[in-house]
């Protein structure tokens, strides 16, 4: 997956635990873990905006795009 | 897993359905034993003599129709057993809150085919009723309609399972 989730870094910068984030954002620990470990396939805008609100950040702070080999193939699949 | 929140009331309903299905499975098996008993009994002298008193000249026809009816029933009962068991397993997934899995689409197809077999075999009773006046039979339109419903529903569940799989990993 070419999208990297920088949740660990942001949590550390804000001195917040995953548990606390889960309570304040209203997302289950299970789902936040999925997001943190890069296993999420999609993020709802509602989730993204809640995280940005609580962590006081921009989507670009949380998500990073890294160009990968064979990216053209992925685009075919999305069609 | 996708437990749908706020559906606790349905648990009681699903439990009732499960209890009903378990009862039906047992009754189904008992019915098979009954049909077997009558079928074998129709070859024994005590039963034949009792029927001779009622039927008189039509004894052979009566015996044949009783045996045919029991045989048809015995062929139908395995299909209803399979359908009940599959439905039982499906209801368990509904109770668990995660019904849109591919297995359930398959279960519904199996139930649909079983019901189709039962409906076709039911036509056998129709043929028998033409021959035996005492046997009342009418075409079960709801049964045939249910077959259509089930095939459509199976397809719906297949689509639902695919949709659910696409949402897997959505945060």
């Amino acid at each position: 997956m070419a999208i990297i989730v920088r949740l660990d870094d942001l949590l550390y910068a804000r001195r917040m635990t995953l548990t606390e984030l889960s309570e304040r954002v209203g997302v289950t620990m299970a789902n936040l873990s999925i997001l943190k470990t890069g296993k999420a396939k999609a993020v709802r805008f509602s989730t993204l905006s809640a995280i940005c609100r609580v962590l006081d950040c921009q989507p670009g702070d949380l998500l990073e795009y890294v160009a990968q080999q064979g990216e053209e193939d992925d685009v075919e699949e999305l069609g | 897993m996708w437990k749908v929140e706020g559906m606790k009331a349905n648990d009681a309903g699903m439990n009732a359905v499960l209890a009903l299905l378990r009862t039906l499975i047992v009754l189904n098996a008992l019915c098979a034993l009954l049909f077997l008993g009558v079928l074998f009994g129709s070859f024994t002298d005590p039963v034949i003599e009792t029927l001779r008193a009622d039927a008189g000249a039509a004894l052979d026809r009566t015996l044949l129709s009783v045996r045919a009816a029991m045989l048809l029933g015995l062929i139908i009962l395995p299909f209803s057993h399979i359908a009940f068991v599959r439905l039982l397993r499906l209801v368990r997934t509904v109770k668990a809150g995660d019904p849109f899995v591919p297995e359930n689409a398959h279960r519904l197809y199996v139930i649909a085919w079983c019901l189709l077999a039962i409906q076709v075999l039911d036509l056998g009773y129709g043929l028998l009723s033409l021959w035996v006046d005492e046997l009342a039979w009418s075409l079960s339109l709801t049964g045939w309609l249910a077959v259509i419903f089930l095939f459509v529903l199976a397809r719906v569940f297949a689509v639902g399972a695919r949709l659910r799989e696409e949402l897997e990993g959505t945060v």
Side-chain angles (χ1 to χ4, degrees):
Chain A
M1 182 55 77
I3 302 287
I4 315 276
V5 179
R6 302 249 174 250
L7 192 55
D8 275 337
D9 301 337
L10 279 170
L11 281 173
Y12 180 72
R14 300 286 183 268
R15 303 286 189 272
M16 197 182 292
T17 62
L18 201 66
T19 318
E20 200 187 331
L21 181 68
S22 164
E23 282 162 22
R24 290 175 66 176
V25 164
V27 175
T28 61
M29 280 289 287
N31 277 349
L32 279 183
S33 286
I34 289 171
L35 185 61
K36 194 171 89 103
T37 55
K39 292 202 170 62
K41 291 203 208 123
V43 182
R44 295 189 185 89
F45 280 169
S46 56
T47 304
L48 186 58
S49 80
I51 292 175
C52 288
R53 174 178 47 84
V54 170
L55 292 180
D56 188 30
C57 67
Q58 286 293 313
D61 301 325
L62 182 66
L63 306 170
E64 185 183 324
Y65 167 71
V66 177
Q68 309 222 305
Q69 298 288 352
E71 189 73 0
E72 304 89 59
D73 302 328
D74 289 347
V75 173
E76 303 267 336
E77 278 169 25
L78 283 173
Chain B
M1 243 194 14
W2 264 45
K3 183 88 194 191
V4 181
E5 297 303 325
M7 297 196 93
K8 299 270 158 57
N10 279 339
D11 276 351
M14 289 301 118
N15 284 333
V17 171
L18 284 173
L20 179 66
L21 282 170
R22 286 192 199 106
T23 310
L24 285 171
I25 290 170
V26 170
L27 285 176
N28 204 47
L30 289 175
C31 221
L33 288 174
L34 178 69
F35 287 175
L36 266 175
V38 173
L39 185 62
F40 284 130
S42 73
F43 287 100
T44 63
D45 287 332
V47 174
I48 292 175
E49 292 313 311
T50 315
L51 283 174
R52 192 191 299 278
D54 286 330
L59 178 66
D60 285 340
R61 201 155 65 99
T62 307
L63 276 176
L64 204 58
S65 55
V66 164
R67 289 169 191 161
M70 292 301 111
L71 201 59
L72 260 177
L74 283 168
I75 299 172
I76 286 177
L77 288 173
F79 286 111
S80 50
H81 174 82
I82 293 170
F84 287 147
V85 170
R86 294 293 186 277
L87 186 57
L88 189 83
R89 291 177 192 159
L90 189 147
V91 171
R92 283 204 189 109
T93 67
V94 173
K95 191 179 151 188
D98 197 14
F100 285 108
V101 289
E103 291 82 28
N104 280 347
H106 177 73
R107 282 173 186 136
L108 281 166
Y109 274 121
V110 169
I111 294 170
W113 282 111
C114 284
L115 198 59
L116 181 62
I118 291 170
Q119 289 306 119
V120 168
L121 288 166
D122 181 58
L123 292 176
Y125 277 118
L127 277 174
L128 203 60
S129 74
L130 289 174
W131 196 46
V132 176
D133 293 329
E134 291 85 353
L135 187 63
W137 180 87
S138 59
L139 183 67
S140 168
L141 282 176
T142 46
W144 286 98
L145 195 63
V147 173
I148 298 173
F149 266 124
L150 281 169
F151 275 112
V152 170
L153 196 64
R155 178 86 173 113
V156 167
F157 262 76
V159 172
R162 213 170 41 241
L163 285 176
R164 183 224 179 284
E165 205 200 344
E166 270 176 33
L167 277 183
E168 191 80 26
T170 294
V171 170

